[in-house]
């Protein structure tokens, strides 16, 4: 539940006066004792609506709900009553019921502005692009409804449109010189720009000396701009003014958790919970904190890695070296050192990871999230095998760590995401964002955004998939900049953002052209890469359906005849039943092993991640004597799905054959961490690897374990005899 | 499995299953049809690696109830008490609350009808692996003394087509299924392998598991997920060999070799006893004693093999 739900429910002048208006006015001025007395009197009223308003004002939410229900029964056709009831639901974390009531209200009275405003608030809480539209409707239906302009100001600032935010805020203040939420937005603009002493705060506090919401509004904007330390500071200031501002306290707890300040996070969240402020973020964050007992933290000089105890033996040998590799790469590239260790958490339970991203905009489909020096991501076990490449995600998030630090969290979302995607591809050509069918469709419909508007694609997507399309576009922009102007230009843009420059300024300074010219060049460059696929997309879709049908019918000649062109028309497509995989199987059936291997190697190079296809490739490569390639393919699999026993077993054997004893030991230990079915064989293979690595004592321990499982296991017996000589 | 070996150290001698019947029932749609036929063919191929095995495979339109009964009757007429028999069922099953049925072309066959046919086979040691949907409901009718019964599902309510059969077939050719490294795969090893692989499949796909295999080899109609001494299950299944082992017992041994074989068996028994006592021992002491016994066993085996 968004912080500003409380902000905007304080006072709502209706077309006709509401029973609670006078009490709310007292509260609006910070006269809390008087307001409470007023609400108490109202709660004792014989009129059900008045009673409901009174009980709500006294925060007796359950009683208020009952009173509203009774009032609704008596007056079923009152738009104001339904709207107030809806606001109660909204305040108490039930958006669905709230929207239902607001919609009923506008059905009863399609001029009732507060109901439109209610709809706008619910949409805004979900970062839904329809929020502005509904707020505009509210303003149109009631030009004196200054809260509509307050919300429009708030939404504009969320979209980084400070100019519009100021305009709307001034409109609100023009209507009412007590539009303190509009002033809070104006103060937030100052704070975001580094102006700690804003003229607006004293004006707010003159109207309401205990208006903590002013600071928590600032906290919200710092938070969505990833400036979490500052967000924490402002939530604390909010609570200094009003310790009972539970929404601020909940956000404080959530942000402390993001900064790995677990103990204080728990303290703040428990206070909220005990005060019955039990929104989803509070409850889920507390549950996550409870689950952290099942985690273990591993520290080095510059990293802290938190893994579930169950997964730690398997994942740590892979994740920790990869973290070090990423840190070394980025230190060199970004010419900087981080101010502290990187804290990385991998969640085996995807729901726990989701708790980390709650309340942040544009988070659909995320695999990882960075909060500064802290990173949270899905463990490979959190998702279906082959759904994502954990190492790719880790490199992506590590880029954020550096860029956020380098820019003091001032970098715009589009650029840090674009650079992170670009870095994926730099780390490995098999990684990076591929052009999915949704993206091809977006290119077809010309839905990509000008660079100056690209942040909106992340913050307030206008259609499903726009966030992912924005990632792709942002990544391509950084690829383009890298290609044309070099890494120096990318680094230059980082420095520009650190100096509080806008995107317009950063582009002009580093690329020496204006954004419009840049967009023209970029789209032409992108078009060169994608035009062929876009042009043939409709035919490709049909062709692939036919190809799959031919494959299922066992018509492999037809698959080969049609598949090559389909593959080449859309070479980036590696989704389910890709042309590569179908061709590979068709070649295999026709006895052309070389061509089959070549197809799957192309598939791997194109970023294909289907575990079964890659395992098949590794086996074919091995059978064909391409042992180096087989090792490469199996290593790729470890980056995708390290839970596969067979991968570790085969890679361990190949590494041992190739003389890489340490690698073989790593694979052998990973296999045992999976508690394999064939324990005897697994211990034996590890024993051989340890022997090759001259770790004789450990080798003997392992071979004893092998024989403990299977005393008659002859190869292990022979190894024991050798080790005992 | 380790403690189970202790119960086996009285050495139930390993016998091959001499007779196999595989039935792949109706697929209902081309995908399932192809899948069931493939699994049956793969199973047949594995079983026929034993040249002495009598293998009958029925699939597609050739798997009517009459043909199934005829195949089982043929085994009844040929097999003797000392032979072993295994029946593998692949396909769709149904359960109406009372009767389990395997879907065949024409009239289906109930669990009771299958049991009645099987009960006429004189072989004292039998294995039935019912890898159809709803197969858990067939346990009650199929269980009998001396008969190991495995079902791919835990009840008649697990109605999705199981993947267990795929992994059962894999168990017969994947060396990792032979966990005790004695060169053969027992029914228990195959069950554990297939069950484990099935669970791993659902886990990797992030799907809720829709099948949970059961085994019973004590005539108890309630199967178990994890056979072990504590629940009394698995002993018979551990000694029922699916892929026949080449034993040394057929060869004439010199007196010296006989002495060594006896010594080996004695050492194996000591190792089993030591493992049984592990929980009550000091870890270092256990490891020292185990290592010494294993070394002695290894030397003895090396002598035998010389």
């Amino acid at each position: 539940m968004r912080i500003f739900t409380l902000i905007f429910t304080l006072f709502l002048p209706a077309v006709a006066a509401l029973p609670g208006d006078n009490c709310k006015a007292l509260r609006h001025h910070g006269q809390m004792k008087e307001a409470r007395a007023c609400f108490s009197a109202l709660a004792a009223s014989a009129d059900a609506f008045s009673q409901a308003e009174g009980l709500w004002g006294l925060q007796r939410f359950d009683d208020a709900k009952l009173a509203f229900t009774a009032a609704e029964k008596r007056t079923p056709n009152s738009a104001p009553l339904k709207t107030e009831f809806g606001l109660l639901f909204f305040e108490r974390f039930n958006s669905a019921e709230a929207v239902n009531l607001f919609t009923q209200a506008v059905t009863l009275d399609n001029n009732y502005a507060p109901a439109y405003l209610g709809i706008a608030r619910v949409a805004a809480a979900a970062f839904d692009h329809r929020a502005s539209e509904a707020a505009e409707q509210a303003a149109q239906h009631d030009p004196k409804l200054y809260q509509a302009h307050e919300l429009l100001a708030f939404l504009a600032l969320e979209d980084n449109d400070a100019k519009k935010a100021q305009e709307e805020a001034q409109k609100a203040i023009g209507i009412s010189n007590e539009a303190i939420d509009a002033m809070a937005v104006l103060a937030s603009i100052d704070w975001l720009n580094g102006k700690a002493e804003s003229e607006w705060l004293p004006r707010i506090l003159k109207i309401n000396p205990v208006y903590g919401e002013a600071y928590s509004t600032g906290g919200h904007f710092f938070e969505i701009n990833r400036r979490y330390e500052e967000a924490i500071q402002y939530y604390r200031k909010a609570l200094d003014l009003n310790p009972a501002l539970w929404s601020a306290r909940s956000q404080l707890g959530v942000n402390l958790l993001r900064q790995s300040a677990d103990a204080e996070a728990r303290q703040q969240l428990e206070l909220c919970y005990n005060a019955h402020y039990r929104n989803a973020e509070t409850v889920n964050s507390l549950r996550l904190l409870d689950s952290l007992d099942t985690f273990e933290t591993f520290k080095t000089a510059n990293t802290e890695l938190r893994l579930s105890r169950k997964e730690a033996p398997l994942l740590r040998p892979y994740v920790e070296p990869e973290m070090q590799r990423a840190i070394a790469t980025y230190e060199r590239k970004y010419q900087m050192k981080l101010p502290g260790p990187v804290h990385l958490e991998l969640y085996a339970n995807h729901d726990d990871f989701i708790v980390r991203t709650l309340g942040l905009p544009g988070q659909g489909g995320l695999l990882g999230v960075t909060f500064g020096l802290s990173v949270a991501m899905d463990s490979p076990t959190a998702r279906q095998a082959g759904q994502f490449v954990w190492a790719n995600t880790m490199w992506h998030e590590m880029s954020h760590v550096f860029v956020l630090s380098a820019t003091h969290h001032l970098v715009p979302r589009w650029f840090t995401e674009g650079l992170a995607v670009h870095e994926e591809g730099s780390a490995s050509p098999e990684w990076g964002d591929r052009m999915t069918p949704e993206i091809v469709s977006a290119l077809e419909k010309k839905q990509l955004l000008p660079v100056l508007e690209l942040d909106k694609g992340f913050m307030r997507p206008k259609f499903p998939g726009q966030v992912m399309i924005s990632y792709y576009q942002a990544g391509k922009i950084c690829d383009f900049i890298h290609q044309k102007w070099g890494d120096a230009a990318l680094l230059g843009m980082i420095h520009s953002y650190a100096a509080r420059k806008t995107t317009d300024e950063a582009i002009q300074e580093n690329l020496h052209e204006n954004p419009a010219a840049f967009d023209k060049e970029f789209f032409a460059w992108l078009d060169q890469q994608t035009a062929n696929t876009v042009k043939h997309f409709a035919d490709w879709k049909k062709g692939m359906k036919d190809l799959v049908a031919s494959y299922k019918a066992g018509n492999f000649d037809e698959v080969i005849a049609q598949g090559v062109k389909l593959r080449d028309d859309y070479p980036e497509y590696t989704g389910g039943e890709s042309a590569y995989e179908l061709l590979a199987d068709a070649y295999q059936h026709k006895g052309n092993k070389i061509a089959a291997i070549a197809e799957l190697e192309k598939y791997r190079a194109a970023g294909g991640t289907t575990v079964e296809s890659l395992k098949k490739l590794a086996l074919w490569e091995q059978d064909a004597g391409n042992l180096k390639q087989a090792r490469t393919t199996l290593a790729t699999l470890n980056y995708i799905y390290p839970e596969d026993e067979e991968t570790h077993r085969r890679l361990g054997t190949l590494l041992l054959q190739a003389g890489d004893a340490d690698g073989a030991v790593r694979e052998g230990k990973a296999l045992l961490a999976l508690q394999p079915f064939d324990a005897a064989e697994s211990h034996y293979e590890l024993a051989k690897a340890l022997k090759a690595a001259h770790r004789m004592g450990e080798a003997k321990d392992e071979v004893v374990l092998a024989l403990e499982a299977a005393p008659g296991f002859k190869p292990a017996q022979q190894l024991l005899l050798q080790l005992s000589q | 499995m380790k403690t189970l070996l202790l119960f086996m150290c009285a050495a139930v001698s390993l016998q091959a299953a001499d007779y196999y019947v595989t039935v792949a029932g109706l697929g209902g749609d081309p995908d399932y049809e192809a899948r069931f036929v493939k699994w049956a063919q793969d199973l047949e191929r594995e079983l026929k690696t034993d040249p002495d095995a009598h293998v009958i495979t029925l699939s597609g339109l050739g798997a009517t109830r009459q043909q199934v009964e005829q195949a089982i009757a043929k085994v009844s007429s040929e097999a003797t008490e000392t032979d072993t028999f295994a029946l593998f069922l692949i396909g769709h099953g149904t359960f109406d609350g009372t009767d389990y049925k395997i879907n065949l072309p024409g009239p289906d066959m109930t669990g009771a009808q299958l049991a009645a046919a099987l009960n006429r086979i004189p072989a004292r040691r039998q294995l039935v692996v019912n890898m159809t949907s709803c197969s858990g409901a067939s346990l009650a009718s199929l269980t009998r003394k001396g008969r190991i019964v495995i079902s791919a599902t835990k009840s008649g309510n697990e109605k999705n087509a199981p993947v267990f059969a795929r992994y059962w077939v894999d168990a017969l050719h994947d060396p990792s299924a032979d966990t005790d490294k004695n060169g053969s795969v027992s029914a228990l090893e195959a069950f554990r392998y297939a069950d484990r692989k099935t669970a791993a499949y659902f886990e990797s796909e992030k799907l809720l598991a829709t099948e949970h295999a059961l085994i019973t080899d004590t005539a108890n109609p309630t199967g178990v997920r994890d056979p072990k001494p504590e629940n009394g299950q698995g002993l018979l299944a551990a000694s029922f060999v699916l892929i026949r082992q080449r034993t040394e017992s057929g060869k004439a041994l010199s007196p010296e070799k006989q002495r060594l074989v006896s010594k080996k068996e004695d050492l194996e028994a000591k190792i089993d006893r030591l493992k049984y006592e592990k929980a009550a021992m000091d870890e270092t002491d256990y490891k020292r004693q185990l290592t010494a016994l294993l070394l002695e066993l290894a030397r003895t085996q090396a002598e035998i093999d010389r």
Side-chain angles (χ1 to χ4, degrees):
Chain A
M1 187 56 68
R2 310 298 310 131
I3 178 69
F4 65 81
T5 58
L6 195 55
I7 297 168
F8 289 100
T9 55
L10 273 182
F11 184 69
L12 194 63
V15 173
L18 295 168
D21 280 355
N22 291 336
C23 306
K24 288 173 192 172
L26 289 167
R27 196 166 58 190
H28 187 74
H29 290 101
Q31 294 168 275
M32 306 309 258
K33 210 166 137 193
E34 293 84 347
R36 199 170 168 77
C38 182
F39 282 121
S40 291
L42 212 55
S45 168
D47 172 59
F49 191 3
S50 301
Q51 213 182 78
E53 293 263 276
L55 290 165
W56 183 13
L58 293 172
Q59 301 194 332
R60 287 170 55 185
F61 300 113
D62 291 336
D63 292 335
K65 187 180 158 201
L66 290 170
F68 268 116
T69 306
E72 211 189 356
K73 272 202 184 109
R74 281 186 209 146
T75 325
N77 296 320
S78 165
L81 193 156
K82 284 190 188 292
T83 303
E84 288 291 286
F85 198 3
L87 287 168
L88 170 62
F89 272 115
F90 185 45
E91 188 180 319
R92 296 306 290 171
F93 328 126
N94 190 337
S95 292
E97 210 41 61
V99 163
N100 187 24
L101 284 158
F102 297 143
T103 308
Q104 288 177 30
V106 299
T107 305
L108 287 169
D109 178 357
N110 67 2
N111 288 321
Y112 192 59
Y116 289 102
L117 188 56
I119 292 169
R121 287 176 186 176
V122 173
F127 295 100
D128 187 327
H129 67 91
R130 288 169 288 194
S132 293
E133 191 187 308
E136 295 277 7
Q137 282 181 304
Q140 276 160 26
H141 284 292
D142 182 2
K144 288 204 165 59
L145 189 63
Y146 70 88
Q147 289 91 338
H149 294 285
E150 285 182 322
L151 181 55
L152 284 165
F154 188 94
L155 294 170
L157 192 55
E158 280 191 334
D159 287 343
N160 280 325
D161 189 347
K163 183 162 173 272
K164 184 170 179 196
Q166 282 168 330
E167 284 167 7
E168 289 295 338
Q170 292 294 356
K171 278 182 195 170
I173 293 167
I175 296 168
S176 165
N177 59 7
E178 294 197 344
I180 49 180
D181 288 321
M183 295 178 200
V185 171
L186 293 169
S188 297
I189 293 171
D190 287 338
W191 294 328
L192 287 169
N193 288 330
K195 192 176 162 193
E197 301 299 324
S198 170
E199 66 177 278
W200 294 102
L201 190 65
R203 287 177 65 167
I204 293 169
L205 296 181
K206 200 169 167 197
I207 297 165
N208 181 339
V210 294
Y211 198 55
E213 288 87 336
Y215 282 120
S216 57
T217 300
H220 168 76
F221 286 110
F222 279 121
E223 185 181 336
I224 65 167
N225 280 285
R226 301 175 161 206
R227 293 163 67 173
Y228 302 107
E229 285 295 344
E230 288 157 296
I232 287 170
Q233 279 172 34
Y234 276 74
Y235 287 129
R236 289 195 198 283
K237 289 185 202 226
L239 292 166
D240 285 342
L241 282 183
N242 181 2
L245 190 56
W246 300 110
S247 54
R249 195 175 293 281
S250 171
Q251 287 307 303
L252 173 60
V254 167
N255 281 284
L256 286 165
L257 188 55
R258 287 172 180 155
Q259 300 297 93
S260 304
D262 294 353
E264 197 194 342
R266 179 186 283 281
Q267 187 194 14
Q268 298 294 346
L269 292 164
E270 281 180 349
L271 284 170
C272 290
Y273 190 88
N274 294 336
H276 293 275
Y277 190 84
R278 294 176 186 177
N279 63 342
E281 284 170 288
T282 300
V283 173
N284 286 323
S285 297
L286 282 168
R287 282 191 187 140
L288 176 63
L289 281 164
D290 286 342
S291 77
L292 292 181
D293 286 343
T294 61
F295 282 70
E296 206 173 333
T297 302
F298 304 93
K299 294 185 182 181
T300 68
N302 57 354
T303 61
E304 290 177 4
L305 176 59
R306 187 183 261 172
L307 298 167
S308 82
R309 281 183 213 285
K310 194 176 153 216
E311 293 195 323
L314 171 66
L315 294 181
R316 186 183 172 199
Y318 297 95
V319 178
E320 219 167 54
E322 207 62 34
M323 284 176 82
Q324 294 295 348
R325 206 162 72 90
I327 290 171
T329 301
Y330 290 141
E331 280 181 351
R332 201 174 50 248
K333 247 188 170 175
Y334 299 135
Q335 297 169 16
M336 61 176 283
K337 289 229 183 270
L338 292 170
V342 178
H343 180 98
L344 172 64
E345 299 171 356
L346 271 72
Y347 290 95
N349 183 344
H350 179 64
D351 289 342
D352 288 340
F353 167 67
I354 286 297
V355 171
R356 297 307 229 133
T357 70
L358 276 179
L360 293 173
Q363 304 300 308
L366 281 195
L367 301 164
V369 65
T370 300
F371 302 115
L373 293 176
S374 285
V375 177
M377 58 178 275
D378 274 332
S379 163
T381 49
R383 301 266 186 156
Q384 194 178 19
Q387 202 177 5
F388 81 113
V389 183
W390 69 263
N392 181 358
T393 299
M394 198 216 71
W395 275 80
H396 178 111
E397 299 305 326
M398 293 292 282
S399 167
H400 286 319
V401 171
F402 278 79
V403 173
L404 285 173
S405 179
T407 62
H408 316 294
H409 293 237
L410 294 172
V411 62
R413 178 90 187 266
W414 81 265
F415 184 76
T416 186
E417 295 298 355
L419 193 50
V421 171
H422 167 74
E423 293 294 4
E424 292 172 24
S426 296
S428 167
E430 292 171 7
W431 298 348
D433 278 6
R434 293 294 187 266
M435 187 171 49
T436 62
E438 291 72 27
I439 291 167
V440 178
S441 184
L443 287 166
E444 232 181 2
K445 295 176 195 164
K446 303 207 185 302
Q447 286 177 324
L448 269 56
L449 294 167
V451 66
L452 292 184
E453 292 177 33
L454 192 44
D455 256 3
K456 285 185 195 163
F458 288 97
M459 299 291 285
R460 215 178 296 282
K462 286 204 167 119
F463 55 88
Q466 191 173 26
V467 173
M468 289 299 130
I469 290 163
S470 301
Y471 271 100
Y472 172 82
Q473 182 183 350
K476 282 295 182 190
I477 285 176
C478 290
D479 288 346
F480 176 54
I481 294 173
H482 163 80
Q483 192 179 90
K484 185 168 178 196
W485 289 277
D487 280 344
L490 290 168
L491 188 58
M493 289 186 72
I494 289 174
H495 295 150
S496 296
Y497 288 124
R500 293 184 177 276
K501 299 293 172 71
T502 63
T503 291
D504 192 332
E505 289 164 335
I507 288 174
Q508 306 248 27
E509 269 175 21
N510 295 286
L511 311 183
H512 312 295
E513 59 185 25
N514 64 47
F518 174 82
D519 280 336
K520 195 171 168 199
E521 256 194 287
F522 165 69
F523 284 121
W525 173 86
L526 186 64
D527 192 58
Q528 275 181 340
Q529 295 174 25
T530 59
N532 189 56
T533 298
V534 172
K535 183 175 155 193
H536 292 108
F537 190 45
D539 289 339
W540 177 87
K541 281 191 279 193
K542 184 182 177 310
M544 283 303 296
K545 275 198 183 118
D546 294 340
L547 195 73
V548 170
S550 296
Y551 175 83
K552 284 186 176 167
N555 191 346
F556 300 117
D557 288 326
E558 186 64 15
V559 171
I560 292 168
Q562 302 302 326
V564 173
K565 182 174 187 305
L566 288 167
R567 178 199 69 202
D568 292 342
D569 278 345
Y570 189 172
E572 286 196 33
Y573 182 74
T574 56
E577 290 178 321
S578 66
Y580 297 103
E581 292 161 290
L582 298 177
L583 278 166
D585 277 352
Y587 282 127
Q588 166 73 356
H589 274 100
K590 299 298 288 181
N592 189 345
K593 210 45 173 297
I594 293 174
I597 291 174
E599 280 308 317
L600 285 186
E601 283 181 344
K602 286 189 192 110
Y603 170 76
R604 188 193 69 212
T609 58
T610 306
V611 171
E612 288 310 313
S613 294
L614 292 171
K615 281 172 70 172
K616 192 166 24 179
L617 172 60
L619 182 61
W620 288 350
E621 285 168 332
Q622 190 173 348
D623 288 346
N626 301 343
L627 300 184
K628 189 169 171 214
Q629 283 298 328
R631 290 197 299 272
T632 301
T633 303
L634 291 167
T636 298
L637 273 164
N638 274 341
Y639 279 142
I640 297 169
Y641 192 63
E643 286 77 14
D644 187 70
E645 289 179 21
E646 191 189 334
T647 298
H648 293 294
R649 184 172 290 117
R650 290 185 23 221
L651 182 54
T653 302
L654 288 173
L655 287 169
L656 193 59
Q657 284 171 8
D660 182 356
D662 289 337
V665 169
R666 182 194 63 231
E667 295 305 313
K669 288 192 174 193
L671 177 55
L672 282 167
L674 292 169
Q675 296 180 325
F677 182 71
D678 190 353
E681 183 77 37
S682 305
H683 283 293
Y684 168 65
E685 291 296 329
L686 177 55
K688 284 197 310 187
L690 286 162
K691 179 171 177 271
H694 307 291
R695 290 157 70 173
M696 300 306 188
E698 291 172 78
K700 194 170 175 186
D701 287 342
E702 287 301 325
V703 82
V704 165
L705 287 169
L707 289 166
E708 185 185 26
F713 187 17
K714 284 191 188 176
Q717 288 178 340
Q718 285 156 21
L719 182 57
L720 177 63
L721 289 171
Q722 287 169 27
L723 289 167
S724 302
Q725 278 164 4
Chain B
M1 185 60 190
K2 292 174 191 172
T3 51
L4 187 63
L5 286 175
L6 179 65
F7 290 89
M8 289 182 55
C9 74
V12 175
S13 64
L14 294 169
Q15 294 182 18
D18 289 338
Y19 291 85
Y20 304 97
V21 172
T22 301
V23 177
L26 270 182
D29 80 30
D31 258 351
Y32 279 127
E33 196 65 45
R35 208 186 293 183
F36 296 162
V37 167
K38 182 180 184 312
W39 288 340
Q41 287 170 348
D42 289 345
L43 196 47
E44 182 181 59
R45 190 178 54 244
E46 295 302 329
L47 296 172
K48 281 186 171 173
T49 55
D50 176 0
D52 297 325
H54 303 265
V55 179
I56 301 172
T57 303
L58 305 172
S59 63
L61 293 174
T64 62
R65 178 176 157 182
Q66 187 182 20
Q67 282 156 320
V68 172
E69 285 173 339
Q70 278 173 359
I72 295 175
K74 184 172 188 294
V75 173
S76 298
S77 67
E78 293 176 10
T80 65
E81 276 188 2
T82 56
D83 290 332
T84 56
F85 167 74
L87 171 68
F88 306 107
L89 302 173
I90 299 167
H92 296 301
T94 57
F95 180 60
D96 61 7
T98 308
D99 288 324
Y100 160 83
K101 287 181 187 172
I102 178 169
N103 297 166
L104 302 172
D108 294 338
M109 234 175 140
T110 66
Q113 287 162 347
L114 274 167
L118 295 176
N119 290 346
R120 288 192 272 276
I121 297 176
R124 274 204 303 266
R125 287 158 51 78
Q126 299 185 10
L127 167 67
V128 177
V129 187
N130 188 347
M131 297 176 275
T132 67
S133 43
C134 307
S135 47
S138 67
L139 283 181
S141 43
L142 290 171
T143 49
R144 188 175 107 144
K145 188 178 173 191
R147 183 182 292 153
I148 304 154
V149 185
I150 292 171
S151 62
T153 77
K154 65 181 179 188
S155 72
N157 295 323
E158 291 191 332
K159 295 176 183 173
N160 288 13
V163 297
F164 183 88
R166 168 186 161 185
Y167 298 116
W168 179 268
V169 174
D170 284 350
L172 302 191
H173 63 76
D174 186 346
S176 68
D178 175 19
T179 51
D180 61 7
K181 304 298 173 203
N182 64 356
S184 57
V185 175
S186 68
L188 181 63
E189 284 173 325
F191 169 79
R192 285 213 164 105
Y193 178 95
D195 182 52
R196 169 114 173 197
K197 289 280 192 179
T198 299
Y201 162 78
F202 284 104
E203 172 59 31
S204 74
E205 296 294 314
K206 290 283 168 268
L207 297 169
L208 205 58
T210 51
E211 55 186 276
H212 303 83
L214 295 178
I215 184 171
T216 174
D217 61 0
T218 59
N220 184 339
T222 308
V224 299
R225 296 274 299 127
D226 179 19
K228 51 192 176 187
E230 288 85 346
N231 56 34
Q233 299 274 16
L235 184 63
L236 193 59
S239 66
F240 192 108
V241 174
L242 284 165
I243 300 294
R244 190 183 290 275
Q245 168 196 19
R246 287 203 186 113
T247 66
E248 293 156 350
S249 57
K251 300 179 191 167
L253 294 172
S254 67
E256 176 56 17
K257 282 274 168 91
Q258 280 178 8
R259 186 190 70 78
L260 287 168
V261 168
S262 293
K263 184 181 175 188
K264 172 185 155 182
E265 287 169 359
D266 181 55
L267 285 165
E268 284 170 344
K270 282 181 178 164
I271 289 168
D272 285 339
R273 212 153 37 242
L274 181 67
K275 281 158 65 172
Y276 187 73
E277 290 162 6
K278 182 180 179 180
M281 288 179 71
D282 170 74
E283 198 183 321
T284 311
D285 197 28
Y286 169 80
K287 191 176 161 191
R288 184 182 52 76
Q289 289 187 39
L290 178 67
T291 305
L293 285 171
L294 288 170
L295 259 171
E296 192 58 30
L297 179 62
R299 288 183 188 123
T300 306
Q301 184 64 55
E303 285 293 318
I304 293 170
D305 292 337
R306 207 194 297 278

